[in-house]
Amino acid sequence: MKETGSLSIPNPFQRYPIYLTLHKILDGTEASPQQQIIKYAHPLICTNHFETEELKQKNRVEIHGSIQRKQYLQALLREKLDPLSVFHHFNSEKSPLFFDDYKNFFGTLHTVLYSPKDLNVIIGVGKNSGPFIFSFKEWLQGSPRLPKMISGTIMQGE
């Protein structure tokens, strides 16, 4: 869980004036419209705050919740859970990773877990949803067919 270095990469957004919410992209890159930094870390944990020295000044004033979510994820890693258990940790309404403050545009719409070991994708819509498990390996071999729809319920929190 140690960062081994960072590297500046060219900015594809400099030519086009667009607004992007500052966030961390799941490929190990911290990105703002002005700069992208590749993070070398294993395992990679992504939350909603910057950690590289180059981008820390772009963090919002209040990042305490994001730091707590990262600590929770680090604790989950130590438990060595199976993919379905991890899915439920993200999808449970009691989880510190699940939010339903949709009126303030801060809510979990869906949960997607990618399992590289068995090439499964586990998907759920809304809270406490039953997982839909899709085998990417079987799909690459010609079966099963993709579902026409995955449904769930998203309810406004109290």
Side-chain angles (χ1 to χ4, degrees):
M1 286 195 248
K2 181 181 168 191
E3 181 178 320
T4 59
S6 62
L7 170 71
S8 244
I9 59 174
N11 185 350
F13 304 114
Q14 284 178 338
R15 298 180 83 187
Y16 308 100
I18 58 174
Y19 174 78
L20 293 177
T21 302
L22 300 178
H23 66 286
K24 197 175 280 190
I25 299 173
L26 294 179
D27 65 2
T29 304
E30 289 190 340
S32 77
Q34 296 78 30
Q35 187 176 18
Q36 295 77 47
I37 306 294
I38 296 175
K39 266 186 86 166
Y40 297 97
H42 183 77
L44 179 64
I45 296 175
C46 299
T47 53
N48 296 91
H49 65 280
F50 293 113
E51 297 178 305
T52 58
E53 290 302 319
E54 299 92 337
L55 291 173
K56 275 185 179 179
Q57 77 278 3
K58 300 228 177 251
N59 279 330
R60 297 176 183 174
V61 174
E62 177 53 51
I63 62 169
H64 182 71
S66 183
I67 292 169
Q68 284 182 317
R69 287 189 297 279
K70 181 173 183 180
Q71 291 168 345
Y72 181 78
L73 289 169
Q74 288 169 327
L76 284 181
L77 281 173
R78 288 189 292 274
E79 292 183 36
K80 306 219 183 294
L81 300 170
D82 64 90
L84 202 52
S85 295
V86 173
F87 171 84
H88 289 297
H89 273 280
F90 275 77
N91 190 255
S92 169
E93 68 182 307
K94 295 177 179 161
S95 169
L97 302 172
F98 190 93
F99 294 90
D100 60 1
D101 189 12
Y102 302 108
K103 67 181 176 192
N104 290 310
F105 306 102
F106 194 73
T108 305
L109 301 175
H110 59 272
T111 303
V112 180
L113 183 134
Y114 305 95
S115 178
K117 185 176 181 180
D118 57 12
L119 295 179
N120 281 338
V121 180
I122 305 173
I123 305 167
V125 177
K127 67 182 173 186
N128 303 323
S129 64
F132 170 79
I133 301 175
F134 171 75
S135 172
F136 189 63
K137 183 177 181 178
E138 289 178 16
W139 181 77
L140 287 172
Q141 295 169 347
S143 68
R145 300 183 76 172
L146 292 171
K148 292 188 188 256
M149 180 183 345
I150 297 172
S151 61
T153 303
I154 297 172
M155 298 178 63
Q156 175 63 42
E158 302 293 322

